[in-house]
Amino acid sequence: MYEYLIVGAGISGSVLANLIAEKLDKKVLVIDRKDHIAGNCYDYKNENNITVHKYGPHIFHTNSKKVWDYLSKFTKWHYFYLKSNAVIEGNKVSLPFTLKTLREVFSPAMAERIENKLLSAYGYGVKVPILEFQNSSDEDLKFIGKYVYENVFKNYTMKQWGLKPEEIDPTVTARVPVYISNDVRYFQDKYQAIPINGYTEMIANILNHKNITVKLNTDCKELDLNNFKSIYYTGAIDEYFDYKFGELPYRSLRFDVQTINKEYYQNTVVTNYPNDYDFTRITEHKYFLDEKSEKTTISIEYPEAFEIGKNERYYPISNEKNNSLYNKYLDEAKNNKNLHFFGRLGDYKYYNMDIAVERVLELFNNIG
């Protein structure tokens, strides 16, 4: 009955299902072992009429007009810029670290002196990796690089990844910038927004096609895979092959969701805690869609190790050893020309939502 099976009803699987159903006019079965669609983008309305992002904050952002136009067929948008805080030395300051943060952290005289040196050395509107400051002969510029590393990056990364500083890949540190700008947006992409009725409704609209059937609470092991012309699998590639070469490591997250009996808990949607406590950040969900309520809902986010059967896979731990293990599974998959892996778990790559969609649009071009 179905030529195509897609395992996973998240954004990757749903977009591919829609393209096959619409452009090829073929019947597609989409299965997911969760009890809901939308994968880790899933959101829901709680008892206070607040839209909660169950698996952590999701803000769609992209520079790709192609991706923006495609998703805009399935939702109207609530235009939204993420402006987050971080608690540094007991004070809430703007993040990423910009000229504004500089003035929030240091005395006016010190902030002005460092700002002038940054502008003179690098110019305005430039993102300078913190390791680059260590090559400077200027003590103030060396200081600011070390300050951001110690107060913004180091402890947050240790919590997030469960690693000691010496175990952190220097190339990761090299990507952490000081943004010599007064632009306090966390992202600078051309298009930034949240689906006006939430991600779950957007994914439901993508899947709403006469050629698509969705079955939840369904594992692909329950099906006879020989009945399908092609299988597109967004789940964990190592799990599909019963971990025959070993387990691919991931980091996971635990969320402590609380209802607070006041209108607002914090002054922005996300506050990061790089140095204090065991959690990394607190998200206040009503800010996403500017929802009004007498109470508010927060999620306190605790990073933790992924354990099979206990929690969700969130972040692939990308390094040479793990990528080599992934390639063994990819080589195994090539023995079955009708089986294709994609998405965050299938590709063993962390994807922003727009990159996930872009990957599927490219993948579809190879489907005949």
Side-chain angles (χ1 to χ4, degrees):
M1 181 179 177
Y2 303 99
E3 288 191 38
Y4 295 88
L5 171 67
I6 294 178
V7 179
I11 193 166
S12 295
S14 300
V15 169
L16 184 61
N18 177 270
L19 291 169
I20 293 171
E22 178 68 24
K23 302 211 178 273
L24 301 183
D25 195 25
K26 301 292 186 181
K27 292 194 178 297
V28 186
L29 175 62
V30 179
I31 65 170
D32 201 302
R33 62 186 179 194
K34 288 189 171 83
D35 61 1
H36 60 74
I37 62 170
N40 282 8
C41 299
Y42 174 73
D43 52 22
Y44 64 93
K45 289 271 193 182
N46 70 2
E47 67 279 3
N48 295 308
N49 209 35
I50 296 170
T51 302
V52 176
H53 293 197
K54 180 174 181 177
Y55 301 98
H58 283 74
I59 292 89
F60 183 79
H61 56 98
T62 188
N63 283 316
S64 170
K65 180 171 171 53
K66 177 173 68 173
V67 171
W68 176 260
D69 288 347
Y70 175 80
L71 292 179
S72 295
K73 295 189 292 185
F74 305 102
T75 185
K76 293 187 181 300
W77 298 99
H78 173 71
Y79 304 112
F80 183 91
Y81 295 123
L82 175 60
K83 298 178 181 179
S84 61
N85 285 340
V87 176
I88 297 176
E89 297 177 336
N91 299 307
K92 288 184 178 179
V93 301
S94 56
L95 197 70
F97 202 98
T98 65
L99 297 178
K100 183 174 187 291
T101 320
L102 198 67
R103 294 190 290 270
E104 292 168 339
V105 170
F106 301 118
S107 68
M110 186 175 180
E112 183 178 4
R113 185 178 76 246
I114 296 174
E115 178 176 336
N116 288 335
K117 289 183 176 182
L118 287 169
L119 290 168
S120 176
Y122 303 103
Y124 186 82
V126 179
K127 293 182 178 180
V128 183
I130 56 176
L131 286 187
E132 191 169 319
F133 293 117
Q134 299 311 304
N135 300 322
S136 174
S137 59
D138 187 281
E139 289 303 315
D140 279 333
L141 296 182
K142 281 186 177 179
F143 165 78
I144 197 64
K146 183 178 180 182
Y147 184 89
V148 174
Y149 174 79
E150 293 285 343
N151 290 281
V152 178
F153 171 77
K154 183 180 77 171
N155 294 323
Y156 189 98
T157 303
M158 289 169 62
K159 286 193 282 186
Q160 183 77 355
W161 295 102
L163 297 172
K164 298 175 183 175
E166 60 269 23
E167 297 172 314
I168 297 167
D169 188 337
T171 62
V172 175
T173 313
R175 293 196 296 268
V176 178
V178 169
Y179 189 18
I180 306 174
S181 170
N182 288 305
D183 184 350
V184 296
R185 298 174 300 167
Y186 198 82
F187 308 112
Q188 278 72 49
D189 301 76
K190 181 175 182 179
Y191 305 101
Q192 302 184 49
I194 296 171
I196 202 161
N197 292 316
Y199 289 99
T200 304
E201 182 178 285
M202 180 183 76
I203 298 296
N205 291 338
I206 292 171
L207 291 168
N208 183 20
H209 193 284
K210 62 182 176 62
N211 287 336
I212 298 175
T213 301
V214 178
K215 289 187 178 180
L216 301 176
N217 301 300
T218 302
D219 195 296
C220 74
K221 293 180 179 179
E222 302 169 20
L223 306 177
D224 184 351
L225 302 184
N226 294 316
N227 290 335
F228 302 93
K229 171 188 171 184
S230 294
I231 300 164
Y232 290 87
Y233 192 90
T234 70
I237 191 170
D238 56 338
E239 182 180 22
Y240 181 88
F241 291 110
D242 295 319
Y243 309 104
K244 66 184 292 183
F245 302 121
E247 183 183 341
L248 284 167
Y250 287 84
R251 289 292 284 175
S252 188
L253 299 170
R254 175 174 61 85
F255 297 95
D256 178 12
V257 182
Q258 299 181 14
T259 295
I260 308 296
N261 193 23
K262 58 182 181 180
E263 189 174 4
Y264 289 97
Y265 178 80
Q266 56 193 26
N267 65 352
T268 191
V269 61
V270 174
T271 299
N272 296 273
Y273 290 80
N275 306 304
D276 307 313
Y277 310 108
D278 295 326
F279 54 85
T280 49
R281 58 185 178 178
I282 298 177
T283 299
E284 187 163 3
H285 295 266
K286 68 196 305 181
Y287 282 108
F288 289 125
L289 296 173
D290 195 26
E291 293 166 321
K292 307 301 179 186
S293 61
E294 293 181 358
K295 298 180 180 181
T296 193
T297 299
I298 64 169
S299 293
I300 306 173
E301 189 170 322
Y302 293 85
E304 60 185 17
F306 166 72
E307 296 180 43
I308 297 171
K310 176 187 173 185
N311 49 19
E312 297 282 339
R313 295 173 174 89
Y314 277 85
Y315 303 109
I317 301 175
S318 180
N319 58 34
E320 187 175 343
K321 177 185 174 183
N322 296 342
N323 294 339
S324 176
L325 177 57
Y326 168 74
N327 286 328
K328 285 186 180 180
Y329 284 112
L330 200 57
D331 288 340
E332 184 75 7
K334 290 174 183 175
N335 293 328
N336 185 342
K337 293 183 179 179
N338 296 328
L339 177 63
H340 311 274
F341 290 89
F342 70 114
R344 178 174 51 92
L345 305 183
D347 288 337
Y348 198 63
K349 289 181 181 176
Y350 181 77
Y351 286 134
N352 286 330
M353 288 178 283
D354 65 321
I355 302 302
V357 174
E358 205 162 55
R359 160 87 167 100
V360 174
L361 295 175
E362 292 170 2
L363 176 66
F364 177 73
N365 290 333
N366 298 319
I367 297 177

